[in-house]
Amino acid sequence: MRIPQWGLLAVALGAVVEMLPQLRGTIAPVPLHAGDEACDAFEDVRRRIGAMTKVYNFSAGPAVLPEAVLQEAAAEMLDYQGCGMSVMEMSHRSSAFKGIIDQAEKDLRDLVGIPENYRVLFLQGGGSTQFAMVPMNLMRGIAVGGADGSVGHADYIVTGTWSKKALAEAQRFGDARCIATSVDTNFDRVPDMANIQVNADADYVYICMNETVNGNVLRELPDTQGKPLVADMSSCFLSEPIDVERYGLIFAGAQKNVGPAGVTIVIVREDLIPEGDLPGVPTMMQYRTHADAGSLYNTPPCYAIYICGKVFKWLKSQGGLAGMQKTNQDKAALLYDYLDKSNLFRGFVRPQDRSLMNVTFTAGDELDAAFVAEAKARGFENLKGHRSVGGLRASIYNAMPVEGVQALVEFMREFEAHHSCSSQSI
């Protein structure tokens, strides 16, 4: 009997669940009459699982997810809570998915403490799409349709690669200005927020809380003189408590610290969402479109939202955002303490501006490639720095266990000892 491709996938997933006895899913074992092809697939998966090697994934995104979340999702893959189908298959208009997205929003609101006058949107397009949506919706000249000949204005604080890209995109739509930057020191720090001067005509002030590429973070917020503060929190979202009321709009690409690639979370104050249609602005680029439709104007990234919902529950079980912050501080301290004492490695960012999520460093141009290769052989993945800046980077998001950071530091000690001896013998 020939089993269709999806059937072989089902067999494989059944094998996965059988190999993880701690799971309590609804997937039945492979029936004995499934045929030789299905049985062969079952045994192949069994062998592969038996040979699996645990790695620590330090990718900046898509990134590591909590193992407990992945196990639960695996158990529900073929049959979500008895509905007879996978979340991947169900209609976004179904009552089952409505329950998933509603619960995800409720858990996110509880976790962060989002006030009632803020809307939560589950969108697509990543942070790069938000670089355009923000000015298209918040710059006054666009939001009023430019009927009075007005031009929108916005002030940007440029602290790294992503805020630089956001500024360039906003300049397509209006008068977007850089009012502070650390580009002259190659973004090894952030500007002094006490010296920020916001323009009186600014429709909003824009920041990137945590620069994923450069490894710096804003620990103090600028005084926006009453202007709405827009924050890209993609790589630090839910890593620590957030006082939402200090912001007009927050967005975060989920693939770094919240879930899989495909969903972007936007938290926006209700009064900032333009009323009515915005002339010249595509329907899908208007926040009002998605707010009025409950993020279901078109087919959303259903499975990504489902996983995010599970991550929200996992975060609650870890002590919420305050508990997560303490864990993240402890993990970062392990790595930064070693870097500060090392004679080989050095960090790129001055200590007071270092990110807890993205640790950027180098062993020197001649050794960085060797470090990445040797690390990979030892089970440490994705430690190469961003292609635009080079060097090394360890992203230690919420789901990275402390054991992973401890193991990385121990490997770095071995690498340093070996290469220090090699250089002395030459």
Side-chain angles (χ1 to χ4, degrees):
M1 181 180 76
R2 177 165 182 79
I3 305 298
Q5 193 168 22
W6 63 264
L8 294 177
L9 174 61
V11 170
L13 289 167
V16 170
V17 174
E18 182 176 293
M19 297 294 288
L20 297 172
Q22 70 272 29
L23 299 179
R24 300 183 186 275
T26 58
I27 303 173
V30 180
L32 295 176
H33 61 271
D36 293 341
E37 190 172 355
C39 292
D40 289 345
F42 181 90
E43 291 303 322
D44 181 60
V45 172
R46 187 194 296 275
R47 286 192 296 270
R48 288 170 184 246
I49 292 174
M52 280 175 63
T53 301
K54 174 68 177 176
V55 301
Y56 289 114
N57 177 18
F58 293 92
S59 172
V64 60
L65 287 167
E67 186 172 338
V69 168
L70 295 177
Q71 290 176 348
E72 189 173 331
E76 295 178 342
M77 174 59 78
L78 297 183
D79 183 1
Y80 173 71
Q81 298 186 1
C83 74
M85 69 181 78
S86 171
V87 175
M88 286 186 176
E89 303 171 298
M90 66 177 54
S91 168
H92 63 293
R93 306 293 181 193
S94 67
S95 60
F97 185 73
K98 185 66 164 57
I100 289 172
I101 194 170
D102 287 351
Q103 188 62 50
E105 178 175 341
K106 181 182 184 302
D107 286 337
L108 179 61
R109 285 185 176 275
D110 292 345
L111 191 61
V112 179
I114 300 173
E116 287 299 317
N117 63 322
Y118 283 75
R119 302 297 296 270
V120 174
L121 309 177
F122 295 102
L123 306 181
Q124 302 181 63
S128 294
T129 296
Q130 291 306 305
F131 296 167
M133 281 189 81
V134 166
M136 293 174 90
N137 286 264
L138 301 191
M139 275 188 177
R140 182 178 180 277
I142 296 176
V144 300
D148 58 358
S150 61
V151 175
H153 308 277
D155 289 349
Y156 280 64
I157 298 172
V158 178
T159 52
T161 297
W162 295 113
S163 50
K164 183 179 178 181
K165 286 179 179 288
L167 171 63
E169 189 70 10
Q171 288 172 337
R172 294 172 174 266
F173 305 103
D175 180 28
R177 306 154 301 204
C178 174
I179 60 171
T181 183
S182 51
V183 66
D184 57 332
T185 60
N186 202 26
F187 302 122
D188 69 345
R189 64 196 64 198
V190 299
D192 183 358
M193 293 296 106
N195 295 325
I196 300 297
Q197 297 295 317
V198 173
N199 290 292
D201 62 354
D203 295 313
Y204 62 88
V205 178
Y206 183 102
I207 59 174
C208 179
M209 286 294 293
N210 187 94
E211 288 282 1
T212 320
V213 171
N214 308 93
N216 64 51
V217 65
L218 286 172
R219 303 197 187 282
E220 299 293 333
L221 297 180
D223 179 358
T224 64
Q225 301 296 310
K227 308 296 183 183
L229 180 61
V230 175
D232 174 359
M233 292 190 182
S234 292
S235 52
C236 63
F237 190 55
L238 305 188
S239 66
E240 59 186 8
I242 304 168
D243 184 355
V244 174
E245 291 185 306
R246 300 189 68 182
Y247 305 87
L249 185 150
I250 295 167
F251 71 83
Q255 73 276 9
K256 298 181 184 300
N257 214 18
V258 182
V263 62
T264 304
I265 297 169
V266 175
I267 302 170
V268 56
R269 204 171 67 213
E270 180 71 49
D271 64 290
L272 294 178
I273 302 175
E275 291 291 345
D277 185 60
L278 299 179
V281 177
T283 301
M284 285 292 291
M285 297 295 283
Q286 299 186 36
Y287 290 129
R288 176 58 60 192
T289 298
H290 304 285
D292 288 348
S295 300
L296 294 170
Y297 176 78
N298 69 327
T299 306
C302 298
Y303 199 78
I305 293 170
Y306 157 77
I307 295 293
C308 286
K310 291 193 176 296
V311 172
F312 300 154
K313 289 187 181 298
W314 176 80
L315 285 168
K316 286 184 172 183
S317 75
Q318 303 301 303
L321 299 189
M324 204 70 252
Q325 180 183 41
K326 176 62 167 59
T327 300
N328 288 329
Q329 289 171 337
D330 292 345
K331 290 188 298 186
L334 285 171
L335 188 46
Y336 283 125
D337 286 350
Y338 170 71
L339 287 173
D340 289 340
K341 297 171 184 174
S342 174
N343 293 317
L344 176 65
F345 298 97
R346 64 175 180 84
F348 284 133
V349 179
R350 69 177 182 176
Q352 60 265 43
D353 297 325
R354 289 168 167 171
S355 167
L356 296 182
M357 298 287 98
N358 309 104
V359 181
T360 54
F361 59 103
T362 181
D365 292 341
E366 295 181 356
L367 286 178
D368 282 349
F371 177 81
V372 171
E374 292 182 31
K376 183 177 179 65
R378 293 283 293 274
F380 303 101
E381 292 281 352
N382 299 304
L383 286 164
K384 185 177 180 179
H386 190 271
R387 62 187 181 279
S388 65
V389 297
L392 304 167
R393 175 177 57 181
S395 294
I396 49 176
Y397 296 128
N398 288 346
M400 172 57 65
V402 65
E403 295 81 9
V405 181
Q406 291 170 335
L408 174 62
V409 170
E410 183 57 34
F411 167 70
M412 291 171 71
R413 285 198 181 98
E414 294 177 17
F415 183 90
E416 179 170 1
H418 172 74
H419 288 277
S420 295
C421 292
S422 297
S423 62
Q424 291 174 6
S425 64
I426 295 176

